[in-house]
Amino acid sequence: MVQTGAMSIDPTDVRIRTGDGTQLPELTEDALGDLLDEPPGPGHAVLELGRADLHEIRARLLPDGVYELEHRAGSATETFQMYTSDPVLVRDVLWAWLSEDPWWRDSVAWFPVDPAIAELRAVQDELTGLLDGLTAMDDLTAGMDAALARADELLTSDFPPDTDDLDQA
């Protein structure tokens, strides 16, 4: 069974990201429970966790109120799923995965995902990662455009005449 307590996971070797893409600096079991209590909405990942390449687990809340958990075990074609309406089970599985407790793998009925579908999801994840990078560039470009517009504004604004120039005239 999953160990509970006040332990905190420091993501030095773990990527912790909420469904909206926010990276979390750390995660406690209580914070994990809070994320599951207030999920971002049906169809969005509640939480995505990753270790190294393609060792990841993610939880999504589906429109019918059921959670989909999916994990990859080293390659895009080694993808497994489970479905549950129990947020406590979701929390326990995610926490056990984070804590490297084998309970999450050994005590839960995981079903393999068809390799073709798993490959399509891997491509979708890669494209999403590329698009996230483009979004960051858009934000940077927008910030630069705003700074340049402000500089133009300042350079063309009317400054009061220099009094030294008036005295010499």
Side-chain angles (χ1 to χ4, degrees):
M1 186 65 189
V2 174
Q3 299 273 339
T4 59
M7 187 170 117
S8 173
I9 299 296
D10 177 7
T12 51
D13 68 331
V14 177
R15 292 178 314 279
I16 302 170
R17 187 172 63 184
T18 63
D20 65 1
T22 303
Q23 296 278 24
L24 298 179
E26 68 176 356
L27 188 63
T28 63
E29 191 172 6
D30 289 339
L32 176 57
D34 292 343
L35 284 170
L36 294 172
D37 288 343
E38 299 288 332
H44 296 295
V46 174
L47 194 61
E48 296 177 12
L49 309 169
R51 253 190 209 101
D53 289 339
L54 294 176
H55 285 281
E56 30 188 63
I57 190 167
R58 114 181 55 188
R60 285 188 325 140
L61 179 62
L62 301 176
D64 60 0
V66 171
Y67 287 92
E68 172 194 66
L69 278 91
E70 183 175 289
H71 81 87
R72 291 186 192 163
S75 79
T77 58
E78 292 182 68
T79 302
F80 301 88
Q81 289 179 329
M82 68 163 282
Y83 295 89
T84 182
S85 59
D86 184 359
V88 173
L89 178 61
V90 174
R91 184 204 62 211
D92 289 349
V93 167
L94 293 174
W95 190 254
W97 185 93
L98 276 169
S99 306
E100 300 186 71
D101 180 343
W103 175 88
W104 73 271
R105 186 179 39 252
D106 300 338
S107 299
V108 176
W110 293 97
F111 299 96
V113 174
D114 182 297
I117 292 177
E119 187 64 32
L120 287 173
R121 285 196 183 137
V123 169
Q124 179 185 17
D125 289 347
E126 286 178 28
L127 289 174
T128 300
L130 289 173
L131 293 175
D132 287 345
L134 291 175
T135 302
M137 288 301 292
D138 288 344
D139 292 345
L140 180 60
T141 303
M144 288 298 292
D145 288 345
L148 290 172
R150 180 67 180 139
D152 286 344
E153 206 177 282
L154 291 172
L155 290 173
T156 60
S157 66
D158 292 329
F159 289 105
D162 190 357
T163 54
D164 291 338
D165 293 339
L166 293 175
D167 291 340
Q168 293 176 1

